[in-house]
Amino acid sequence: MASVVVAEDNLDHQRVIAEVVRRLGHDVVVADDGRSGLEAVAKHRPDLLIADVDMPHMTGLELCAAIRDDPRLASTPVVLITAYLLPGDPRLAATGALGVIGKPFGVPELSEALRGHLNGLKVPQIGHSMLDAVLDCIDTGVMAFDVNGRQLLVNRALGDVLGADKPGVPVGDIARRLRMCRPDGTDMPTDEWPIWRAMRGEDVNHVELMAYDPHGRPHWYLVNARPVRGADGTVIAAVSAAHDVTTRHRTRQYEVCKNKVLSVLAGDPDSPKAGDRILAAIGTTLGWPYLRLWLADDEADVLRPAALYSAAGEPALPLPATIARGHGLAGLCWQTGELIWVPDLHAANAPILPEVAESAAYRSAGAVPVRSGERVVGAISFFSRTRQESDPALGMLLSGIAAVIGAFLEHRRAEGLALHLAAATDEYMALAGHELRTPLTSIGSYVDLIAESPDDTPFVELRDLFEVVHRNSTRLRNLVDRLLDVAGMESGHLALESEPVNLTEVVAEVTGEVTSDRGVVIHTDRLDQVTVPGDRARLRQMVEALVGNAVKFSPSDSAVGVTLVDLDDLVVLTVSDTGVGIPASEQAKLFRRLYRGGNARHTGIPGSGLGLALCRVVVERHRGTIALSSHESTGTTVTVRLPK
């Protein structure tokens, strides 16, 4: 049973011819004009083509010429049917057709003629179809050229990656479209291509080369090539087979990248430039010209740039001072904690900052989260001039490198915290010693004065001395009690109540009870009605400390501002004054136990240095945050945020 394509624009004639072929026991594919007939022949590779001469878009003569010019189709037998030219016309003979059937015809004559042509086929013409099927089934790329340097075929494995050209295309045209390189990335001249060497009669074995696909992505191949010789031994064509070794090459490349990063960390990890050197190791190995390391600022809840790599001659990208959570490539990676690939930077939905997208000379980008344990502490963003699709192996490498960087940062943070803790402990002991020694000195010295007084000294003369001892012992007891209170809450040994607390009522009570003999007034411009879960006594203790501090440090006849704002899922309490303010160098220490600002100590304003420490612990135990901003010229504002 043969496969037959019938190309006939007259539908009545088409049906008759097709029916005759079927009655003769063969398969039929029909086409309505010459152009669709050529497409059907290219697709189905029939054993016989029956074509009308006079057809739209492409005549039967033109159809025959197109088939003969295509090496894949040239052997297709053709029978022409014509009412336009006489069977003896030399133009018909020039087509190389098996035969010509004139119109009008009857079914018996048509059947007899077609039976003869079909029976005359020596073997089913499946050679090209079978070869194409075999070549398209294998994963090795295959291409062939004739002795004149014209492409004969390219199979699916190679055509899908590098782009297929039509048969007959000269190798020079392919060279202009397809960039072929040596393994080191330098361009390979056309005459060094394995297929071209084979056309010169050379057997080529295991040549490694790199080629770029239409998207600009590199692929590595191991190529063999052989000349095809005719009966007389001359080269008539050449064939090459290219085995894709891109995965193997990238595995080797990724291993080199990992080793370079580890070498940086093992060499001088404490260097200020260690981050830049890590990014340079990644960029130079993977061919990425631009990388950034962003680390999280937990206090401000933003990312800040920590390291940068830019290859020589690369244009500078805008470098914002901070990136908010969820904004841009790094911000989205930080928010989701997931590896992100952006194959096309200029796509409408690409998660790129607008200023970066406008100035970027790069084609694709990505970002990988940097983790410390379960916490995402930053992100590495990278940019490429070629299209960078999602690659599981590369994703694993980047995640591994980011994990190593995260562990390194955590180790360095732990060392810094240890040094900070040691310094803070020394400072705390000094502060505690100072706060305890002061009342103890008064108690001890006044007890000595009492002890040295004559036995007959009237009590009335000693009363003032006893009052000093009593006052300082009370101060000492209160200090110890508050220290134990703060320490108990910090350690969790002191349990807090959990009940709905009308915070508006608590703030109103405190602001109504706190008084000043220096004319300081309290303004409550906005007190929204809010309720939060927590311990009412502790929350009141916190509000009293904040409002009391503000009044205490405010100048005479000034005002203290207190607001309570409801922000849906959050409550914000602010207490501000216009007092002496706090030096910037001391603000970070104010929430420590016993620490008092220098301007407070030296102006004689009383205090123990435990008020803000207590506020911090109370707020933290209620899963909130407390922050302080101050200027020595304008005063201090404390902001407390509590979840509802």
Side-chain angles (χ1 to χ4, degrees):
M1 181 173 63
S3 170
V4 180
V5 169
V6 175
E8 169 64 74
D9 63 307
N10 187 300
L11 295 182
D12 292 334
H13 295 177
Q14 181 190 98
R15 293 191 189 98
V16 170
I17 298 170
E19 181 60 26
V20 167
V21 173
R22 291 191 187 97
R23 290 183 180 183
L24 292 173
H26 304 288
D27 289 336
V28 180
V29 175
V30 297
D32 296 336
D33 55 52
R35 184 183 300 161
S36 58
L38 180 60
E39 293 173 354
V41 171
K43 179 178 180 181
H44 299 284
R45 305 295 177 88
D47 303 311
L48 180 67
L49 167 65
I50 302 172
D52 186 25
V53 171
D54 187 21
M55 291 187 293
H57 305 306
M58 178 182 285
T59 68
L61 303 181
E62 293 170 340
L63 174 58
C64 288
I67 290 173
R68 300 295 175 250
D69 288 340
D70 190 335
R72 300 173 301 169
L73 311 178
S75 61
T76 305
V78 180
V79 171
L80 292 174
I81 295 179
T82 178
Y84 175 69
L85 299 176
L86 296 177
D89 194 296
R91 286 174 288 179
L92 297 173
T95 63
L98 287 180
V100 178
I101 300 175
K103 295 181 181 179
F105 52 71
V107 170
E109 295 88 347
L110 179 63
S111 299
E112 186 63 25
L114 292 181
R115 181 183 295 109
H117 292 307
L118 288 167
N119 291 340
L121 299 176
K122 294 181 181 180
V123 293
Q125 302 297 308
I126 63 172
H128 284 287
S129 297
M130 182 177 293
L131 176 61
D132 289 343
V134 170
L135 291 176
D136 285 347
C137 282
I138 61 176
D139 293 328
T140 299
V142 177
M143 64 192 315
F145 287 83
D146 65 19
V147 71
N148 297 314
R150 293 177 301 183
Q151 181 176 286
L152 297 176
L153 63 88
V154 57
N155 73 334
R156 175 192 51 79
L158 205 58
D160 287 351
V161 176
L162 302 181
D165 293 283
K166 292 182 179 180
V169 174
V171 68
D173 291 353
I174 297 175
R176 281 189 287 272
R177 178 188 63 78
L178 181 63
R179 182 186 173 194
M180 199 81 73
C181 302
R182 302 183 181 92
D184 62 1
T186 58
D187 288 336
M188 177 182 286
T190 308
D191 60 359
E192 291 185 19
W193 287 17
I195 190 73
W196 198 255
R197 290 166 58 186
M199 282 191 283
R200 296 198 298 265
E202 183 181 350
D203 286 350
V204 181
N205 296 303
H206 306 302
V207 172
E208 187 171 354
L209 54 81
M210 182 177 68
Y212 288 88
D213 65 17
H215 296 292
R217 296 171 297 193
H219 296 261
W220 285 264
Y221 293 94
L222 200 62
V223 181
N224 297 324
R226 296 288 185 273
V228 179
R229 299 183 184 275
D232 59 356
T234 60
V235 177
I236 60 174
V239 178
S240 71
H243 181 60
D244 193 332
V245 294
T246 301
T247 301
R248 185 173 71 188
H249 179 88
R250 291 204 180 280
T251 300
R252 187 168 62 243
Q253 183 185 40
Y254 298 163
E255 188 68 23
V256 171
C257 180
K258 181 185 71 176
N259 291 337
K260 283 189 175 182
V261 171
L262 293 176
S263 177
V264 172
L265 292 175
D268 187 12
D270 296 323
S271 168
K273 293 294 184 180
D276 293 341
R277 291 168 57 205
I278 290 172
L279 297 189
I282 299 172
T284 54
T285 308
L286 300 182
W288 292 338
Y290 203 89
L291 295 95
R292 291 174 179 170
L293 170 63
W294 300 86
L295 295 180
D297 180 339
D298 293 330
E299 292 293 329
D301 197 36
V302 295
L303 290 176
R304 298 188 186 277
L308 170 68
Y309 166 71
S310 179
E314 287 299 311
L317 287 179
L319 187 65
T322 62
I323 290 183
R325 191 182 295 272
H327 287 228
L329 187 59
L332 181 61
C333 180
W334 179 36
Q335 181 183 55
T336 62
E338 300 291 338
L339 178 64
I340 296 175
W341 299 97
V342 184
D344 185 2
L345 282 181
H346 304 291
N349 59 345
I352 303 294
L353 294 174
E355 58 269 29
V356 173
E358 292 174 3
S359 63
Y362 305 109
R363 185 165 185 179
S364 62
V368 59
V370 177
R371 296 180 179 274
S372 175
E374 295 298 320
R375 193 167 61 96
V376 179
V377 298
I380 299 173
S381 57
F382 52 88
F383 296 81
S384 173
R385 288 191 174 277
T386 60
R387 187 178 180 88
Q388 185 69 61
E389 300 286 356
S390 174
D391 180 349
L394 180 55
M396 289 181 63
L397 171 75
L398 293 174
S399 298
I401 289 176
V404 170
I405 294 173
F408 164 70
L409 292 172
E410 185 64 20
H411 175 71
R412 191 160 68 177
R413 176 176 173 270
E415 289 182 341
L417 286 175
L419 294 173
H420 176 73
L421 179 60
T425 301
D426 292 342
E427 182 182 26
Y428 176 70
M429 294 303 296
L431 289 170
H434 175 270
E435 294 300 325
L436 294 173
R437 288 191 188 99
T438 299
L440 282 173
T441 300
S442 298
I443 292 171
S445 59
Y446 276 80
V447 167
D448 289 341
L449 290 175
I450 293 171
E452 292 174 359
S453 299
D455 294 342
D456 57 351
T457 304
F459 180 76
V460 67
E461 295 182 11
L462 300 176
R463 184 182 296 278
D464 290 343
L465 302 181
F466 277 108
E467 286 180 355
V468 172
V469 173
H470 180 265
R471 184 174 68 251
N472 281 278
S473 64
T474 301
R475 177 185 174 189
L476 186 60
R477 184 175 63 252
N478 290 338
L479 180 62
V480 172
D481 287 345
R482 297 191 73 182
L483 273 172
L484 292 174
D485 197 29
V486 173
M489 280 197 293
E490 281 187 330
S491 65
H493 293 154
L494 289 181
L496 270 64
E497 299 291 335
S498 183
E499 60 181 1
V501 177
N502 187 330
L503 194 58
T504 310
E505 183 180 277
V506 171
V507 173
E509 288 176 0
V510 171
T511 54
E513 293 172 4
V514 173
T515 59
S516 169
D517 56 2
R518 296 180 295 108
V520 179
V521 296
I522 301 174
H523 292 310
T524 53
D525 296 332
R526 176 177 177 180
L527 293 182
D528 294 348
Q529 288 295 324
V530 293
T531 300
V532 298
D535 188 312
R536 192 180 196 281
R538 292 297 185 181
L539 289 172
R540 179 184 173 93
Q541 197 175 13
M542 178 265 295
V543 177
E544 285 177 342
L546 293 181
V547 176
N549 268 356
V551 171
K552 181 168 60 176
F553 290 103
S554 291
S556 299
D557 301 321
S558 62
V560 168
V562 179
T563 62
L564 185 65
V565 179
D566 184 358
L567 297 179
D568 295 330
D569 58 345
L570 200 67
V571 175
V572 180
L573 169 69
T574 58
V575 179
S576 57
D577 63 57
T578 56
V580 295
I582 303 160
S585 60
E586 297 184 358
Q587 291 178 19
K589 303 178 181 180
L590 286 174
F591 291 103
R592 299 180 189 173
R593 285 176 283 179
L594 299 175
Y595 189 87
R596 301 187 69 215
N599 53 4
R601 292 197 308 271
H602 302 311
T603 53
I605 299 175
S608 63
L610 288 172
L612 287 178
L614 180 67
C615 292
R616 172 183 59 79
V617 177
V618 170
V619 171
E620 289 176 352
R621 289 292 301 273
H622 284 80
R623 298 180 295 108
T625 62
I626 183 169
L628 179 148
S629 62
S630 181
H631 299 280
E632 293 184 75
S633 59
T634 59
T636 302
T637 298
V638 178
T639 303
V640 174
R641 292 177 172 84
L642 295 172
K644 294 175 66 176

